[in-house]
Amino acid sequence: MFCRRRDPPIPGSDCLTLRRVVATGTFDILHPGHLYYLEESKKLGDELWVIVARDANVRHKPRPIIPEEHRLRMVSALKPVTHAILGDKTDMFRPIQEIQPAIITIGFNQHFDEIKLHQQLSERELHPSIVRIGRYENGDLCSSRIVVERIIEVRGKKDMSHETN
Amino acid sequence: MFCRRRDPPIPGSDCLTLRRVVATGTFDILHPGHLYYLEESKKLGDELWVIVARDANVRHKPRPIIPEEHRLRMVSALKPVTHAILGDKTDMFRPIQEIQPAIITIGFNQHFDEIKLHQQLSERELHPSIVRIGRYENGDLCSSRIVVERIIEVRGKKDMSHETN
């Protein structure tokens, strides 16, 4: 069990100083870019909590291939991740209120407007630092979209050629 | 650093009783079936070492989508994994000789003939137990092949329709 930052601090307890970091994302087909984002996020605090997007809430890009429960299970299994949960179906800020993070990290290609996000959090009396994590530069397949495109390019054509043979 | 089972045991040291388990695979697009295989393997010993197949050595199925260095990085990042390495380019038994495992696990759909494998290991004076891990039953996307097929089905057609529009 993890003690919460909003619990009364117990003198001599780790809870006095635990810094929670929250990272968010879809994490559809895991790749080293995701891992880099999570590793860099974890370095900023003591516990990394990850909010995994619900299938129904992914609207700004194609729906995930991998169902939310599988995505949650895989993210939970990564070493930098202390705890992963699914997002709230209707209120994206509810888990943030529960977790009370000191820091929220944003991936290099996530579409949040940091100023607007600050305002929305402030309205709920949440004041975490917002940190944008840089791009992972060591690979050309560090994007679920690019992995999907590669799969279609390499295997899709093969499958189509089988169909016509 | 991990002490090796072949090192002289140090009285009072953990090395006296460490049981190494070796799991192997391609781990192309990570899914909960992989995770289940690794978690079940880890339960059998103290350290789980994973040998990740080299791109050039994957011949019994389509070549991996994800390059070997990325696959290695992702497998290394999973909680049950103590240490992951790439396989040897020419001799699949060389890493086994290095690691000296007490147990080698085989995934439910891996094509090894256990009796032949026992014989090949014995010829090198290796006598690990060989344990086949059962199938993970909780998901229909627990196969890299099925994930690839789903991607081609869901996104490939969309991409093709874009091309013709």
Side-chain angles (χ1 to χ4, degrees), chain A residues 63 73 76-77 79 81 155, chain B residues 63 76-77 79 81 155:
Chain A
R63 281 288 171 88
R73 179 151 158 68
S76 301
K79 286 175 181 168
V81 177
R155 301 277 176 83
Chain B
R63 281 287 172 91
S76 301
K79 286 175 181 168
V81 177
R155 301 276 176 84

Side-chain angles (χ1 to χ4, degrees), chain A residues 26-113:
Chain A
T26 309
F27 305 99
D28 191 19
I29 292 166
L30 283 181
H31 54 68
H34 290 136
L35 190 57
Y36 177 78
Y37 167 51
L38 297 174
E39 285 172 343
E40 292 300 302
S41 298
K42 174 65 172 66
K43 286 178 189 169
L44 301 174
D46 303 300
E47 292 184 347
L48 174 61
W49 288 61
V50 183
I51 303 174
V52 175
R54 293 270 182 182
D55 291 340
N57 291 348
V58 178
R59 298 195 193 92
H60 58 288
K61 55 185 179 181
R63 281 288 171 88
I65 297 289
I66 310 296
E68 62 192 21
E69 288 295 342
H70 282 209
R71 293 186 285 109
L72 176 65
R73 179 151 158 68
M74 294 311 294
V75 170
S76 301
L78 294 171
K79 286 175 181 168
V81 177
T82 311
H83 199 69
I85 57 172
L86 288 173
D88 191 87
K89 285 185 178 170
T90 55
D91 178 1
M92 67 177 269
F93 294 105
R94 194 178 298 168
I96 308 284
Q97 281 182 307
E98 289 289 315
I99 298 165
Q100 293 277 325
I103 296 165
I104 294 177
T105 60
I106 300 177
F108 83 97
N109 61 353
Q110 284 182 319
H111 63 114
F112 293 109
D113 173 331

Side-chain angles (χ1 to χ4, degrees), chain B residues 30-43:
Chain B
L30 283 181
H31 54 68
H34 290 136
L35 190 57
Y36 176 78
Y37 167 50
L38 297 175
E39 286 172 343
E40 293 300 303
S41 298
K42 175 65 171 66
K43 286 179 190 170

